[in-house]
PDB file of all heavy atoms in Angstrom:
ATOM      1  N   TYR A1065     -59.050 -16.845 -11.492  1.00 98.00           N
ATOM      2  CA  TYR A1065     -58.559 -15.710 -12.280  1.00 98.00           C
ATOM      3  C   TYR A1065     -58.397 -16.136 -13.728  1.00 98.00           C
ATOM      4  O   TYR A1065     -57.634 -17.069 -14.030  1.00 98.00           O
ATOM      5  CB  TYR A1065     -57.224 -15.213 -11.724  1.00 98.00           C
ATOM      6  CG  TYR A1065     -56.697 -13.974 -12.416  1.00 98.00           C
ATOM      7  CD1 TYR A1065     -57.105 -12.710 -12.027  1.00 98.00           C
ATOM      8  CD2 TYR A1065     -55.779 -14.071 -13.468  1.00 98.00           C
ATOM      9  CE1 TYR A1065     -56.631 -11.563 -12.660  1.00 98.00           C
ATOM     10  CE2 TYR A1065     -55.293 -12.948 -14.113  1.00 98.00           C
ATOM     11  CZ  TYR A1065     -55.726 -11.695 -13.697  1.00 98.00           C
ATOM     12  OH  TYR A1065     -55.262 -10.565 -14.330  1.00 98.00           O
ATOM     13  N   ASP A1066     -59.115 -15.491 -14.631  1.00 98.00           N
ATOM     14  CA  ASP A1066     -59.005 -15.756 -16.063  1.00 98.00           C
ATOM     15  C   ASP A1066     -57.833 -14.932 -16.597  1.00 98.00           C
ATOM     16  O   ASP A1066     -57.924 -13.710 -16.702  1.00 98.00           O
ATOM     17  CB  ASP A1066     -60.302 -15.366 -16.774  1.00 98.00           C
ATOM     18  CG  ASP A1066     -60.335 -15.809 -18.230  1.00 98.00           C
ATOM     19  OD1 ASP A1066     -59.290 -15.702 -18.912  1.00 98.00           O
ATOM     20  OD2 ASP A1066     -61.407 -16.245 -18.700  1.00 98.00           O
ATOM     21  N   TYR A1067     -56.727 -15.604 -16.930  1.00 97.00           N
ATOM     22  CA  TYR A1067     -55.523 -14.861 -17.324  1.00 97.00           C
ATOM     23  C   TYR A1067     -55.564 -14.370 -18.769  1.00 97.00           C
ATOM     24  O   TYR A1067     -54.695 -13.602 -19.187  1.00 97.00           O
ATOM     25  CB  TYR A1067     -54.254 -15.686 -17.073  1.00 97.00           C
ATOM     26  CG  TYR A1067     -54.219 -17.066 -17.685  1.00 97.00           C
ATOM     27  CD1 TYR A1067     -53.948 -17.249 -19.039  1.00 97.00           C
ATOM     28  CD2 TYR A1067     -54.415 -18.194 -16.899  1.00 97.00           C
ATOM     29  CE1 TYR A1067     -53.897 -18.512 -19.594  1.00 97.00           C
ATOM     30  CE2 TYR A1067     -54.363 -19.469 -17.440  1.00 97.00           C
ATOM     31  CZ  TYR A1067     -54.104 -19.620 -18.780  1.00 97.00           C
ATOM     32  OH  TYR A1067     -54.057 -20.884 -19.332  1.00 97.00           O
ATOM     33  N   LEU A1068     -56.549 -14.770 -19.538  1.00 96.00           N
ATOM     34  CA  LEU A1068     -56.712 -14.212 -20.881  1.00 96.00           C
ATOM     35  C   LEU A1068     -57.544 -12.927 -20.843  1.00 96.00           C
ATOM     36  O   LEU A1068     -57.332 -12.017 -21.647  1.00 96.00           O
ATOM     37  CB  LEU A1068     -57.378 -15.234 -21.813  1.00 96.00           C
ATOM     38  CG  LEU A1068     -56.587 -16.520 -22.077  1.00 96.00           C
ATOM     39  CD1 LEU A1068     -57.330 -17.408 -23.072  1.00 96.00           C
ATOM     40  CD2 LEU A1068     -55.184 -16.216 -22.589  1.00 96.00           C
ATOM     41  N   LYS A1069     -58.468 -12.851 -19.870  1.00 97.00           N
ATOM     42  CA  LYS A1069     -59.327 -11.678 -19.734  1.00 97.00           C
ATOM     43  C   LYS A1069     -58.903 -10.766 -18.585  1.00 97.00           C
ATOM     44  O   LYS A1069     -59.483  -9.695 -18.397  1.00 97.00           O
ATOM     45  CB  LYS A1069     -60.778 -12.119 -19.520  1.00 97.00           C
ATOM     46  CG  LYS A1069     -61.353 -12.934 -20.664  1.00 97.00           C
ATOM     47  CD  LYS A1069     -62.775 -13.371 -20.356  1.00 97.00           C
ATOM     48  CE  LYS A1069     -63.364 -14.213 -21.489  1.00 97.00           C
ATOM     49  NZ  LYS A1069     -64.741 -14.686 -21.165  1.00 97.00           N
ATOM     50  N   ASN A1070     -57.912 -11.207 -17.798  1.00 97.00           N
ATOM     51  CA  ASN A1070     -57.472 -10.461 -16.613  1.00 97.00           C
ATOM     52  C   ASN A1070     -58.651 -10.157 -15.686  1.00 97.00           C
ATOM     53  O   ASN A1070     -58.823  -9.039 -15.184  1.00 97.00           O
ATOM     54  CB  ASN A1070     -56.766  -9.151 -17.007  1.00 97.00           C
ATOM     55  CG  ASN A1070     -55.439  -9.399 -17.702  1.00 97.00           C
ATOM     56  OD1 ASN A1070     -54.757 -10.377 -17.404  1.00 97.00           O
ATOM     57  ND2 ASN A1070     -55.081  -8.539 -18.628  1.00 97.00           N
ATOM     58  N   HIS A1071     -59.444 -11.208 -15.449  1.00 97.00           N
ATOM     59  CA  HIS A1071     -60.648 -11.039 -14.632  1.00 97.00           C
ATOM     60  C   HIS A1071     -60.631 -12.023 -13.468  1.00 97.00           C
ATOM     61  O   HIS A1071     -60.394 -13.222 -13.638  1.00 97.00           O
ATOM     62  CB  HIS A1071     -61.895 -11.268 -15.473  1.00 97.00           C
ATOM     63  CG  HIS A1071     -63.163 -11.227 -14.670  1.00 97.00           C
ATOM     64  ND1 HIS A1071     -63.677 -10.071 -14.136  1.00 97.00           N
ATOM     65  CD2 HIS A1071     -64.023 -12.226 -14.300  1.00 97.00           C
ATOM     66  CE1 HIS A1071     -64.788 -10.333 -13.492  1.00 97.00           C
ATOM     67  NE2 HIS A1071     -65.022 -11.633 -13.564  1.00 97.00           N
ATOM     68  N   PHE A1072     -60.890 -11.497 -12.249  1.00 98.00           N
ATOM     69  CA  PHE A1072     -60.939 -12.323 -11.046  1.00 98.00           C
ATOM     70  C   PHE A1072     -62.378 -12.501 -10.603  1.00 98.00           C
ATOM     71  O   PHE A1072     -63.111 -11.525 -10.428  1.00 98.00           O
ATOM     72  CB  PHE A1072     -60.136 -11.669  -9.922  1.00 98.00           C
ATOM     73  CG  PHE A1072     -60.208 -12.417  -8.613  1.00 98.00           C
ATOM     74  CD1 PHE A1072     -59.690 -13.699  -8.501  1.00 98.00           C
ATOM     75  CD2 PHE A1072     -60.791 -11.830  -7.494  1.00 98.00           C
ATOM     76  CE1 PHE A1072     -59.751 -14.394  -7.289  1.00 98.00           C
ATOM     77  CE2 PHE A1072     -60.851 -12.512  -6.281  1.00 98.00           C
ATOM     78  CZ  PHE A1072     -60.327 -13.789  -6.178  1.00 98.00           C
ATOM     79  N   GLN A1073     -62.787 -13.767 -10.423  1.00 98.00           N
ATOM     80  CA  GLN A1073     -64.133 -14.084  -9.974  1.00 98.00           C
ATOM     81  C   GLN A1073     -64.062 -14.778  -8.611  1.00 98.00           C
ATOM     82  O   GLN A1073     -63.683 -15.955  -8.527  1.00 98.00           O
ATOM     83  CB  GLN A1073     -64.844 -15.000 -10.969  1.00 98.00           C
ATOM     84  CG  GLN A1073     -66.249 -15.412 -10.541  1.00 98.00           C
ATOM     85  CD  GLN A1073     -67.175 -14.224 -10.393  1.00 98.00           C
ATOM     86  OE1 GLN A1073     -67.318 -13.416 -11.320  1.00 98.00           O
ATOM     87  NE2 GLN A1073     -67.813 -14.091  -9.237  1.00 98.00           N
ATOM     88  N   PRO A1074     -64.382 -14.074  -7.511  1.00 98.00           N
ATOM     89  CA  PRO A1074     -64.394 -14.741  -6.198  1.00 98.00           C
ATOM     90  C   PRO A1074     -65.439 -15.849  -6.181  1.00 98.00           C
ATOM     91  O   PRO A1074     -66.513 -15.715  -6.766  1.00 98.00           O
ATOM     92  CB  PRO A1074     -64.780 -13.607  -5.229  1.00 98.00           C
ATOM     93  CG  PRO A1074     -64.510 -12.343  -5.977  1.00 98.00           C
ATOM     94  CD  PRO A1074     -64.760 -12.655  -7.421  1.00 98.00           C
ATOM     95  N   ILE A1075     -65.121 -16.958  -5.497  1.00 98.00           N
ATOM     96  CA  ILE A1075     -66.078 -18.072  -5.443  1.00 98.00           C
ATOM     97  C   ILE A1075     -66.421 -18.452  -4.007  1.00 98.00           C
ATOM     98  O   ILE A1075     -67.296 -19.293  -3.792  1.00 98.00           O
ATOM     99  CB  ILE A1075     -65.548 -19.313  -6.192  1.00 98.00           C
ATOM    100  CG1 ILE A1075     -64.232 -19.799  -5.582  1.00 98.00           C
ATOM    101  CG2 ILE A1075     -65.393 -19.024  -7.680  1.00 98.00           C
ATOM    102  CD1 ILE A1075     -63.747 -21.114  -6.153  1.00 98.00           C
ATOM    103  N   THR A1076     -65.739 -17.873  -3.017  1.00 97.00           N
ATOM    104  CA  THR A1076     -66.025 -18.203  -1.625  1.00 97.00           C
ATOM    105  C   THR A1076     -66.340 -16.938  -0.833  1.00 97.00           C
ATOM    106  O   THR A1076     -66.075 -15.823  -1.291  1.00 97.00           O
ATOM    107  CB  THR A1076     -64.833 -18.908  -0.946  1.00 97.00           C
ATOM    108  OG1 THR A1076     -63.735 -17.980  -0.825  1.00 97.00           O
ATOM    109  CG2 THR A1076     -64.385 -20.132  -1.733  1.00 97.00           C
ATOM    110  N   VAL A1077     -66.876 -17.145   0.356  1.00 94.00           N
ATOM    111  CA  VAL A1077     -67.005 -16.054   1.311  1.00 94.00           C
ATOM    112  C   VAL A1077     -65.612 -15.790   1.888  1.00 94.00           C
ATOM    113  O   VAL A1077     -64.653 -16.502   1.589  1.00 94.00           O
ATOM    114  CB  VAL A1077     -67.990 -16.425   2.445  1.00 94.00           C
ATOM    115  CG1 VAL A1077     -69.380 -16.646   1.877  1.00 94.00           C
ATOM    116  CG2 VAL A1077     -67.525 -17.689   3.179  1.00 94.00           C
ATOM    117  N   ASN A1078     -65.501 -14.790   2.740  1.00 94.00           N
ATOM    118  CA  ASN A1078     -64.224 -14.499   3.389  1.00 94.00           C
ATOM    119  C   ASN A1078     -63.751 -15.711   4.192  1.00 94.00           C
ATOM    120  O   ASN A1078     -64.524 -16.291   4.955  1.00 94.00           O
ATOM    121  CB  ASN A1078     -64.357 -13.302   4.325  1.00 94.00           C
ATOM    122  CG  ASN A1078     -64.656 -12.009   3.573  1.00 94.00           C
ATOM    123  OD1 ASN A1078     -65.075 -12.052   2.418  1.00 94.00           O
ATOM    124  ND2 ASN A1078     -64.439 -10.884   4.215  1.00 94.00           N
ATOM    125  N   LEU A1079     -62.486 -16.090   4.009  1.00 94.00           N
ATOM    126  CA  LEU A1079     -61.929 -17.186   4.789  1.00 94.00           C
ATOM    127  C   LEU A1079     -61.547 -16.658   6.169  1.00 94.00           C
ATOM    128  O   LEU A1079     -60.855 -15.639   6.286  1.00 94.00           O
ATOM    129  CB  LEU A1079     -60.708 -17.780   4.084  1.00 94.00           C
ATOM    130  CG  LEU A1079     -60.946 -18.336   2.679  1.00 94.00           C
ATOM    131  CD1 LEU A1079     -59.684 -19.012   2.147  1.00 94.00           C
ATOM    132  CD2 LEU A1079     -62.120 -19.307   2.650  1.00 94.00           C
ATOM    133  N   GLU A1080     -61.993 -17.341   7.212  1.00 88.00           N
ATOM    134  CA  GLU A1080     -61.804 -16.854   8.577  1.00 88.00           C
ATOM    135  C   GLU A1080     -60.353 -16.901   9.023  1.00 88.00           C
ATOM    136  O   GLU A1080     -59.922 -16.092   9.836  1.00 88.00           O
ATOM    137  CB  GLU A1080     -62.668 -17.669   9.546  1.00 88.00           C
ATOM    138  CG  GLU A1080     -64.170 -17.518   9.294  1.00 88.00           C
ATOM    139  CD  GLU A1080     -64.999 -18.343  10.245  1.00 88.00           C
ATOM    140  OE1 GLU A1080     -64.401 -19.078  11.064  1.00 88.00           O
ATOM    141  OE2 GLU A1080     -66.234 -18.254  10.176  1.00 88.00           O
ATOM    142  N   SER A1081     -59.597 -17.867   8.495  1.00 92.00           N
ATOM    143  CA  SER A1081     -58.206 -18.025   8.905  1.00 92.00           C
ATOM    144  C   SER A1081     -57.322 -18.016   7.672  1.00 92.00           C
ATOM    145  O   SER A1081     -57.681 -18.577   6.633  1.00 92.00           O
ATOM    146  CB  SER A1081     -58.026 -19.347   9.667  1.00 92.00           C
ATOM    147  OG  SER A1081     -56.705 -19.491  10.136  1.00 92.00           O
ATOM    148  N   PRO A1082     -56.143 -17.361   7.729  1.00 90.00           N
ATOM    149  CA  PRO A1082     -55.289 -17.262   6.541  1.00 90.00           C
ATOM    150  C   PRO A1082     -54.740 -18.612   6.087  1.00 90.00           C
ATOM    151  O   PRO A1082     -54.589 -19.543   6.886  1.00 90.00           O
ATOM    152  CB  PRO A1082     -54.154 -16.337   6.998  1.00 90.00           C
ATOM    153  CG  PRO A1082     -54.137 -16.457   8.487  1.00 90.00           C
ATOM    154  CD  PRO A1082     -55.562 -16.657   8.886  1.00 90.00           C
ATOM    155  N   ILE A1083     -54.440 -18.704   4.800  1.00 95.00           N
ATOM    156  CA  ILE A1083     -53.865 -19.912   4.221  1.00 95.00           C
ATOM    157  C   ILE A1083     -52.388 -20.010   4.598  1.00 95.00           C
ATOM    158  O   ILE A1083     -51.638 -19.036   4.497  1.00 95.00           O
ATOM    159  CB  ILE A1083     -54.016 -19.899   2.689  1.00 95.00           C
ATOM    160  CG1 ILE A1083     -55.495 -20.051   2.306  1.00 95.00           C
ATOM    161  CG2 ILE A1083     -53.187 -21.005   2.033  1.00 95.00           C
ATOM    162  CD1 ILE A1083     -55.752 -19.918   0.820  1.00 95.00           C
ATOM    163  N   THR A1084     -51.960 -21.197   5.046  1.00 95.00           N
ATOM    164  CA  THR A1084     -50.552 -21.411   5.371  1.00 95.00           C
ATOM    165  C   THR A1084     -49.836 -22.191   4.263  1.00 95.00           C
ATOM    166  O   THR A1084     -48.716 -21.850   3.888  1.00 95.00           O
ATOM    167  CB  THR A1084     -50.399 -22.143   6.712  1.00 95.00           C
ATOM    168  OG1 THR A1084     -51.150 -23.368   6.686  1.00 95.00           O
ATOM    169  CG2 THR A1084     -50.901 -21.278   7.855  1.00 95.00           C
ATOM    170  N   GLN A1085     -50.459 -23.243   3.754  1.00 96.00           N
ATOM    171  CA  GLN A1085     -49.921 -24.002   2.623  1.00 96.00           C
ATOM    172  C   GLN A1085     -51.089 -24.432   1.747  1.00 96.00           C
ATOM    173  O   GLN A1085     -52.219 -24.548   2.231  1.00 96.00           O
ATOM    174  CB  GLN A1085     -49.130 -25.232   3.077  1.00 96.00           C
ATOM    175  CG  GLN A1085     -47.825 -24.929   3.782  1.00 96.00           C
ATOM    176  CD  GLN A1085     -46.963 -26.175   3.987  1.00 96.00           C
ATOM    177  OE1 GLN A1085     -46.911 -27.073   3.135  1.00 96.00           O
ATOM    178  NE2 GLN A1085     -46.289 -26.231   5.115  1.00 96.00           N
ATOM    179  N   CYS A1086     -50.797 -24.685   0.462  1.00 96.00           N
ATOM    180  CA  CYS A1086     -51.888 -25.089  -0.437  1.00 96.00           C
ATOM    181  C   CYS A1086     -51.386 -26.077  -1.490  1.00 96.00           C
ATOM    182  O   CYS A1086     -50.196 -26.125  -1.806  1.00 96.00           O
ATOM    183  CB  CYS A1086     -52.529 -23.885  -1.105  1.00 96.00           C
ATOM    184  SG  CYS A1086     -51.406 -22.935  -2.167  1.00 96.00           S
ATOM    185  N   ARG A1087     -52.316 -26.842  -2.008  1.00 96.00           N
ATOM    186  CA  ARG A1087     -52.102 -27.752  -3.121  1.00 96.00           C
ATOM    187  C   ARG A1087     -53.349 -27.641  -3.996  1.00 96.00           C
ATOM    188  O   ARG A1087     -54.376 -27.109  -3.562  1.00 96.00           O
ATOM    189  CB  ARG A1087     -51.903 -29.205  -2.663  1.00 96.00           C
ATOM    190  CG  ARG A1087     -50.763 -29.403  -1.684  1.00 96.00           C
ATOM    191  CD  ARG A1087     -49.406 -29.194  -2.324  1.00 96.00           C
ATOM    192  NE  ARG A1087     -48.330 -29.429  -1.368  1.00 96.00           N
ATOM    193  CZ  ARG A1087     -47.751 -28.487  -0.641  1.00 96.00           C
ATOM    194  NH1 ARG A1087     -48.180 -27.237  -0.744  1.00 96.00           N
ATOM    195  NH2 ARG A1087     -46.785 -28.764   0.190  1.00 96.00           N
ATOM    196  N   SER A1088     -53.306 -28.200  -5.197  1.00 95.00           N
ATOM    197  CA  SER A1088     -54.493 -28.094  -6.050  1.00 95.00           C
ATOM    198  C   SER A1088     -54.437 -29.094  -7.185  1.00 95.00           C
ATOM    199  O   SER A1088     -53.388 -29.660  -7.508  1.00 95.00           O
ATOM    200  CB  SER A1088     -54.616 -26.676  -6.626  1.00 95.00           C
ATOM    201  OG  SER A1088     -53.565 -26.425  -7.543  1.00 95.00           O
ATOM    202  N   ASP A1089     -55.599 -29.299  -7.795  1.00 95.00           N
ATOM    203  CA  ASP A1089     -55.684 -29.915  -9.113  1.00 95.00           C
ATOM    204  C   ASP A1089     -56.612 -29.017  -9.926  1.00 95.00           C
ATOM    205  O   ASP A1089     -56.913 -27.902  -9.513  1.00 95.00           O
ATOM    206  CB  ASP A1089     -56.155 -31.380  -9.049  1.00 95.00           C
ATOM    207  CG  ASP A1089     -57.478 -31.548  -8.312  1.00 95.00           C
ATOM    208  OD1 ASP A1089     -58.338 -30.643  -8.410  1.00 95.00           O
ATOM    209  OD2 ASP A1089     -57.666 -32.581  -7.648  1.00 95.00           O
TER     210      ASP A1089
END
């Protein structure tokens, strides 16, 4: 999500199972 342009760009197909916890860099 580009927060300066308010634009969301999906990068994956549908995830088969919901996210329970996440981390990132």
Side-chain angles (χ1 to χ4, degrees):
Y1065 184 85
D1066 189 320
Y1067 54 78
L1068 296 183
K1069 299 178 181 178
N1070 292 328
H1071 175 71
F1072 176 64
Q1073 178 61 54
I1075 60 173
T1076 67
V1077 297
N1078 294 17
L1079 301 185
E1080 296 179 357
S1081 183
I1083 291 175
T1084 55
Q1085 291 190 37
C1086 62
R1087 303 291 182 266
S1088 68
D1089 55 34

